[in-house]
Amino acid sequence: MLRNSIISHVSLAVLISYSYSSKVDRPRGVSLTRNVLYDPSKDFACFDGSGRMPFSQVNDDYCDCHDGSDEPGTSACPNGSFHCTNAGHRPLNIPSSRVNDGICDCCDGSDEWAKDSSCEDSCKELWRNEHAHLLRQAAAASRGVEVRKEYSARGVQKKAEDKERVANLRKEIEEIKANEESLKVRKENAEKAENDAKDAERVVWTNFKEKVQQQHDARQAANAFTELDTNKDGSVSADELRQHPELDESAEDDEFTEDEARDILEAVSVEAPEFIEVTWGKISEKFQSKPAAETEANHENDEPEEDYNEDDDEEEDDDLDPDMDDEDEEDYPEDPEDKEYENDLDEPDIDIPPPPPEQVAQPVVEEAHEEETPQINLPDDPVWSSDTKFIAAAADEARRQYDEQQKKKSDLERDIQKLEKEIEMDFGSDEAFHELHGKCFELDTHEYTYKLCPFDKTAQKPKDGGAETSLGRWGAWSGRGNKYSAMKYLSGLKCWNGPDRSTTVNISCGDENKLLSASEPSRCEYKFEFTTPAACEAIEVPDRPHDEL
Ligand code: MAN
């Protein structure tokens, strides 16, 4: 209001300024606690220091102080505040703008003092309603408090049990550790014995395999010699070699000349031993055996075939037969250093030796072609002797025992870790929230089923099917003032083009554990309301209203 309009309001201003409450004299709109700041016998100083004035300017409907402190009972200052005494109910501060605006804001009607206001004093009525409501709330809270006590007792007991379990598990670990070293040594010794025994047999087996391979190679060479020696004169000549153009070493011309064949033979012709020892090594990769029919057709008038070793095939079959007779087995040199064995290697013998005793592994004989020497595939390891099997079984058992104890130890360590995590968890000052640990609560909304698993996670699942979406994992208590009034769940599934999903769960006292509501106030930030007896505290209901007057 402008200063020049004050004149017309002087009488009103005087009325306002000295209109004191009937019970305790103080300017209008001033609370009991601030009354000391308004002393009519002194000049008035603005609370913010923005001015000083005769007391008559307090509540003169003109705003002198920046903070509005000189106009506690009028609407003159835009930032002022009016105090409703509201005797019989609860005092209230309202913005000055609401003073004399025609709306009853104070239940005692004191804000509408200018006119003969229609505001009735409804404070007593309000108090009665509020009191009844408070009594109902207090009754619910006291039921909740009883349940909370049960939760608390169980929570305290659970924590004690968990601690005891941890202590017992630690003892078990200690016992395992006490035996660990001896089990380890036993296992290592048994494994060493196993490795030694197997290594020794592997040496014999490897020699045997080499020998078989050499014999096999020699057989291939002998067969090739037989096939190449078409005139059966006991030697392969350059002409005979030329029947196999695939052996031509010069790629440029098509013709496999006699000179080229001689270069390979390094002679006019070679006899079997030299062929097997020298020539075969040069041609074996290129040599292609001709199908029997072709060979027979080409040489149907030849002399009756005299194989380089015509008994070989039979013997080979015998030799490769795992069910060979004992005599054969005895022939096999047990000692890989055996002289006889070495001599065998010097002079290719087309007999395939029997496998070492007790190492009768099943050779895989593949009949590649009727006329070709069978391919021999022997397994990497032999069939172990019964002694080695016994040693290996002992090592298996020692390993099993050691591994079993190790697994038991790590299982126990995992259990301890889990229990310790639970023990360290903050379930409230009386452990009442422990009751909610390990449980989940759901709420169906139109689109989703929301889920709260306290101290674990929050989630959302579309009702028309589809996977559960994580709305966060347990983070921390996050209530303002009372930290147990809210929980925070963080790092849920990342929102497309947005933050990781997260949830704030407001906790309030209720008769039962219930997820009351779930909403998404901003995208991917969710808000749940949850009630639980664990949050109940006794409510004290005042039996009389405030009586500041
Ligand atoms: C899904 C739900 C919604 C969320 C959108 C964000 O539809 O998780 O709650 O707002 O993704 O893209």
Side-chain angles (χ1 to χ4, degrees):
M1 185 179 286
L2 296 170
R3 182 52 89 179
N4 59 11
S5 65
I6 293 176
I7 313 297
S8 59
H9 286 91
V10 168
S11 56
L12 179 63
V14 171
L15 176 73
I16 296 163
S17 185
Y18 292 96
S19 174
Y20 286 91
S21 160
S22 57
K23 300 292 175 182
V24 176
D25 282 350
R26 54 190 147 127
R28 194 185 298 282
V30 172
S31 67
L32 262 184
T33 44
R34 289 198 164 176
N35 192 28
V36 288
L37 303 169
Y38 295 88
D39 184 349
S41 63
K42 293 180 189 163
D43 281 351
F44 177 74
C46 305
F47 296 170
D48 65 355
S50 58
R52 199 174 182 84
M53 66 212 70
F55 193 77
S56 59
Q57 282 183 224
V58 171
N59 276 345
D60 67 350
D61 206 18
Y62 180 79
C63 190
D64 296 290
C65 301
H66 292 160
D67 62 359
S69 53
D70 62 314
E71 293 298 316
T74 75
S75 57
C77 293
N79 54 346
S81 160
F82 180 87
H83 179 82
C84 329
T85 302
N86 286 351
H89 185 233
R90 194 183 319 118
L92 182 70
N93 292 319
I94 58 169
S96 304
S97 57
R98 295 192 189 169
V99 174
N100 290 328
D101 66 350
I103 298 169
C104 310
D105 294 288
C106 305
C107 65
D108 61 3
S110 58
D111 57 315
E112 297 299 319
W113 51 264
K115 310 162 202 148
D116 252 354
S117 146
S118 54
C119 293
E120 277 174 24
D121 186 340
S122 59
C123 289
K124 286 193 176 64
E125 171 79 15
L126 266 181
W127 161 254
R128 270 195 300 277
N129 291 343
E130 201 165 287
H131 190 246
H133 177 70
L134 278 173
L135 285 175
R136 279 196 301 276
Q137 265 196 333
S142 94
R143 285 195 301 275
V145 165
E146 288 313 303
V147 179
R148 177 176 176 165
K149 281 182 192 157
E150 290 167 24
Y151 284 5
S152 165
R154 281 203 286 268
V156 169
Q157 190 186 349
K158 180 80 180 17
K159 191 165 237 175
E161 282 168 6
D162 284 352
K163 282 182 179 168
E164 197 181 321
R165 273 205 70 201
V166 167
N168 289 337
L169 295 179
R170 283 198 198 291
K171 263 189 224 150
E172 274 189 60
I173 288 187
E174 286 315 309
E175 281 163 23
I176 289 175
K177 280 185 178 164
N179 287 328
E180 195 172 18
E181 194 51 33
S182 69
L183 282 175
K184 191 173 172 208
V185 169
R186 209 164 82 195
K187 175 183 92 101
E188 283 169 357
N189 288 343
E191 281 178 339
K192 185 172 182 321
E194 179 189 31
N195 288 339
D196 289 351
K198 285 186 172 173
D199 285 350
E201 288 196 27
R202 268 191 202 108
V203 169
V204 176
W205 177 245
T206 304
N207 288 339
F208 167 72
K209 283 203 298 184
E210 275 170 18
K211 174 126 180 152
V212 168
Q213 191 57 51
Q214 281 164 359
Q215 300 287 4
H216 174 72
D217 292 348
R219 175 177 303 284
Q220 280 190 313
N223 286 349
F225 181 88
T226 306
E227 188 178 327
L228 284 165
D229 181 16
T230 47
N231 64 5
K232 303 299 168 203
D233 66 350
S235 68
V236 170
S237 66
D239 259 353
E240 286 168 327
L241 202 64
R242 288 175 62 209
Q243 301 311 307
H244 281 258
E246 76 273 13
L247 301 177
D248 185 358
E249 282 175 344
S250 56
E252 308 91 54
D253 58 66
D254 287 344
E255 206 190 337
F256 186 18
T257 65
E258 183 152 2
D259 281 349
E260 285 168 341
R262 274 193 196 157
D263 281 350
I264 294 171
L265 293 175
E266 293 175 36
V268 176
S269 65
V270 293
E271 293 186 355
E274 198 185 341
F275 179 85
I276 292 167
E277 282 288 304
V278 183
T279 318
W280 178 241
K282 294 162 125 187
I283 65 169
S284 62
E285 279 182 14
K286 286 185 176 175
F287 178 77
Q288 287 167 13
S289 178
K290 292 184 177 171
E294 193 188 313
T295 316
E296 276 162 25
N298 288 348
H299 307 290
E300 55 191 7
N301 295 328
D302 287 354
E303 293 286 303
E305 204 171 286
E306 196 186 299
D307 260 359
Y308 177 67
N309 263 300
E310 54 185 7
D311 294 330
D312 285 353
D313 287 346
E314 273 172 39
E315 283 184 25
E316 177 191 69
D317 287 347
D318 284 345
D319 293 339
L320 294 174
D321 183 352
D323 298 322
M324 72 193 69
D325 62 35
D326 292 339
E327 216 180 290
D328 279 344
E329 289 185 17
E330 275 162 24
D331 283 344
Y332 186 79
E334 280 194 44
D335 180 355
E337 304 292 312
D338 191 317
K339 269 276 154 279
E340 200 185 324
Y341 189 85
E342 278 187 355
N343 289 341
D344 282 349
L345 297 178
D346 291 339
E347 209 179 293
D349 178 350
I350 301 168
D351 287 342
I352 293 178
E358 298 201 66
Q359 293 193 340
V360 192
Q362 201 77 35
V364 179
V365 180
E366 290 169 6
E367 293 280 348
H369 185 279
E370 246 185 298
E371 292 300 310
E372 283 174 15
T373 311
Q375 296 299 309
I376 296 175
N377 287 320
L378 290 170
D380 288 344
D381 281 338
V383 172
W384 307 115
S385 70
S386 53
D387 277 358
T388 299
K389 277 184 191 156
F390 183 79
I391 293 168
D396 278 346
E397 177 57 15
R399 241 188 320 266
R400 193 193 62 73
Q401 283 182 14
Y402 178 75
D403 292 347
E404 187 181 78
Q405 291 303 296
Q406 287 301 104
K407 184 178 177 307
K408 203 167 162 193
K409 192 174 81 175
S410 58
D411 286 352
L412 290 170
E413 277 163 351
R414 213 185 36 242
D415 289 352
I416 289 177
Q417 239 181 8
K418 205 172 144 212
L419 283 168
E420 279 184 333
K421 205 172 146 205
E422 200 171 315
I423 290 168
E424 278 159 22
M425 213 128 197
D426 183 355
F427 291 124
S429 52
D430 60 352
E431 303 292 328
F433 283 102
H434 207 307
E435 188 74 16
L436 307 178
H437 186 238
K439 293 182 180 162
C440 293
F441 306 91
E442 290 191 351
L443 172 75
D444 278 335
T445 64
H446 178 65
E447 208 178 342
Y448 301 104
T449 297
Y450 285 94
K451 196 186 215 176
L452 164 66
C453 304
F455 308 101
D456 182 16
K457 63 173 185 180
T458 51
Q460 172 197 58
K461 194 170 178 179
K463 287 180 88 174
D464 57 4
E468 191 174 275
T469 301
S470 165
L471 302 186
R473 301 209 67 84
W474 166 249
W477 289 108
S478 61
R480 290 206 188 127
N482 169 18
K483 71 169 172 173
Y484 301 111
S485 63
M487 290 171 161
K488 197 88 189 154
Y489 291 79
L490 304 162
S491 308
L493 188 72
K494 186 168 167 37
C495 193
W496 189 76
N497 261 349
D500 288 348
R501 285 173 173 77
S502 65
T503 313
T504 300
V505 183
N506 291 326
I507 313 272
S508 57
C509 163
D511 278 350
E512 52 176 341
N513 296 313
K514 194 167 184 187
L515 184 53
L516 287 184
S517 71
S519 55
E520 192 179 348
S522 65
R523 198 162 148 263
C524 295
E525 288 178 14
Y526 302 83
K527 195 170 100 186
F528 289 5
E529 298 293 335
F530 182 71
T531 61
T532 172
C536 290
E537 282 170 11
I539 296 178
E540 281 201 29
V541 182
D543 45 359
R544 287 190 324 127
H546 117 98
D547 54 4
E548 178 200 16
L549 290 171

